[in-house]
Amino acid sequence: MMHPIPKTMAAVQLIGHGGLDKLVYSREVPVPTPAPGEVLVKVTACGMNNTDVWVRQGAYGTEDDPSAVSTWRRHGNTLTFPRIQGTDTVGHIVAVGHGVDQTRIGERVMVDFSIYNRDDDSLADIDYMGHGRDGGYAEYMALPAGNAHVVATDLTDVELATFCCAYLTGERMLERARLAVGERILVTGASGGVGSAIIQLARARGAIPIAVAGPGKEAAIIEIGAEAVVTRGQGDLVGAVNEAVRGEPIDVVADLVGGPLFNDLLKILRPEGRYTTAGAIAGPVVELDLRTMYLKQLELHGSSQGSRADFQRLVRYIEDKKIRPLVGGIYPLSEFHRAQTDFMAKNFVGKLVVVPD
């Protein structure tokens, strides 16, 4: 039996760029009304991502000033305050807007959080829910009906909420890098949401993932599918990777760390190797010796989010049980500050998930 939809709800609103004080928990946020072509989802779980933190901090810089306070989109900012963040939303449809079939009410859905803004596969004007419109750190969320997908799985709502942003980002990185069966891929930041996703997604493609991760996380990374783990910050990375692969070539580097590791990662790549990145948690500004790039015939790819086709592959992977959820912790919405503090400490493997109280 469907319960009445309240007028107000609990939500965490981002009220400006800055520290945790810019995240305000309130139980008096108006419940959104689905517009024509939209559905209203009662949220049951929402995964946390690095993008949440970087947008709050305004840490994306600009092309002219890397240290400038700026939001996620390089061209045409769509972030306004207050904004409810949260991309990896799972829940049940409880109402529909004009033009949406009433039979959709009651469906359990995983949200494709992308705002594509185009009809083709280009991501040049991509945006996302939680940035260009409100996301899932709330009890209710309105969104286009076409972005609410039923997934045929027996996974719990919390487990299903670990996939979307991290795995979609990872799948796009591998698609752009054309990772093929039998190739070796080196994954930095392998214990995080995207890194641990890439390990599984590489295995789903028949490739061989080698991980770089912090100390104490090696066993967990092996358990999710890494062929070998190189411990970050312990000596010569180039030599350690070469030893781990017994001198075999690294075809692709999927880098989520950046910073001082960057040049070593290009050294590690074989000639005509491919480097792909979707993050820079150790530092976004790096030095590049162009001679390494052109003399080794390297490809460098920047990647963010994913296409509709990438999302559909992700759904198939989930339904075929080729990838599995990695829940690093569960937090009530009212303890959002604690959740984000623990998230920034990075003392976990997989994803942290926020659930309504």
Side-chain angles (χ1 to χ4, degrees):
M1 180 179 176
M2 198 66 62
H3 295 287
I5 298 169
K7 299 292 186 183
T8 61
M9 65 179 180
V12 174
Q13 293 180 305
L14 179 67
I15 61 171
H17 294 304
L20 290 173
D21 61 303
K22 298 300 183 180
L23 295 167
V24 177
Y25 174 80
S26 172
R27 300 194 62 84
E28 301 301 324
V29 178
V31 171
T33 300
E38 293 188 348
V39 297
L40 181 68
V41 170
K42 182 175 174 57
V43 177
T44 53
C46 189
M48 187 170 286
N49 293 282
N50 280 321
T51 306
D52 300 329
V53 178
W54 281 48
V55 166
R56 168 174 59 78
Q57 295 173 337
Y60 283 98
T62 66
E63 292 178 352
D64 296 324
D65 181 2
S67 63
V69 174
S70 179
T71 189
W72 181 81
R73 277 169 58 99
R74 272 288 189 256
H75 303 288
N77 178 37
T78 59
L79 177 67
T80 58
F81 302 114
R83 171 65 73 223
I84 300 172
Q85 294 181 290
T87 60
D88 293 6
T89 310
V90 172
H92 296 80
I93 296 176
V94 294
V96 298
H98 179 72
V100 181
D101 195 328
Q102 290 279 332
T103 62
R104 295 210 62 183
I105 294 176
E107 290 180 352
R108 183 181 80 150
V109 295
M110 179 172 77
V111 173
D112 177 358
F113 63 94
S114 294
I115 303 172
Y116 293 103
N117 290 322
R118 295 173 59 138
D119 294 328
D120 59 17
D121 288 334
S122 171
L123 301 184
D125 193 28
I126 197 76
D127 200 353
Y128 71 89
M129 300 174 201
H131 183 275
R133 61 181 290 164
D134 285 341
Y137 292 141
E139 292 181 309
Y140 293 88
M141 176 184 176
L143 64 139
N147 289 70
H149 295 263
V150 175
V151 182
T153 177
D154 57 3
L155 294 174
T156 67
D157 294 359
V158 165
E159 290 171 329
L160 196 55
T162 64
F163 287 115
C164 193
C165 185
Y167 285 72
L168 185 65
T169 299
E171 180 64 14
R172 183 65 178 177
M173 291 173 71
L174 301 189
E175 187 73 3
R176 293 207 68 192
R178 306 183 307 282
L179 182 68
V181 173
E183 289 192 316
R184 290 173 181 81
I185 177 170
L186 184 70
V187 185
T188 68
S191 64
V194 180
S196 58
I198 291 174
I199 290 170
Q200 294 191 61
L201 292 165
R203 286 295 189 189
R205 287 172 175 251
I208 304 167
I210 312 299
V212 180
K217 299 176 180 177
E218 296 88 350
I221 301 303
I222 290 290
E223 201 273 331
I224 64 175
E227 187 78 5
V229 180
V230 174
T231 305
R232 187 184 68 247
Q234 296 192 358
D236 175 24
L237 179 64
V238 178
V241 171
N242 188 60
E243 182 178 350
V245 298
R246 298 179 176 87
E248 295 293 331
I250 294 292
D251 304 283
V252 175
V253 164
D255 183 23
L256 303 162
V257 175
L261 293 183
F262 179 75
N263 279 309
D264 281 347
L265 296 175
L266 298 192
K267 292 177 187 176
I268 287 166
L269 272 174
R270 66 165 173 81
E272 296 186 339
R274 290 94 73 195
Y275 169 97
T276 180
T277 181
I281 58 175
V285 180
V286 299
E287 292 187 1
L288 167 63
D289 187 334
L290 289 172
R291 295 166 296 185
T292 300
M293 181 176 151
Y294 67 73
L295 292 174
K296 292 182 72 175
Q297 313 283 339
L298 300 180
E299 294 180 27
L300 275 63
H301 295 277
S303 188
S304 179
Q305 288 180 230
S307 67
R308 296 175 182 88
D310 297 326
F311 184 87
Q312 290 301 326
R313 280 196 304 279
L314 174 58
V315 170
R316 289 197 298 272
Y317 286 148
I318 296 169
E319 294 180 338
D320 294 342
K321 300 183 178 180
K322 290 187 176 181
I323 55 178
R324 61 188 179 89
L326 298 169
V327 181
I330 305 171
Y331 297 78
L333 188 63
S334 60
E335 297 184 22
F336 194 86
H337 280 196
R338 180 170 68 89
Q340 196 151 103
T341 298
D342 290 352
F343 180 87
M344 291 186 293
K346 301 297 182 186
N347 294 321
F348 61 93
V349 174
K351 292 293 289 289
L352 302 187
V353 179
V354 176
V355 298
D357 293 273

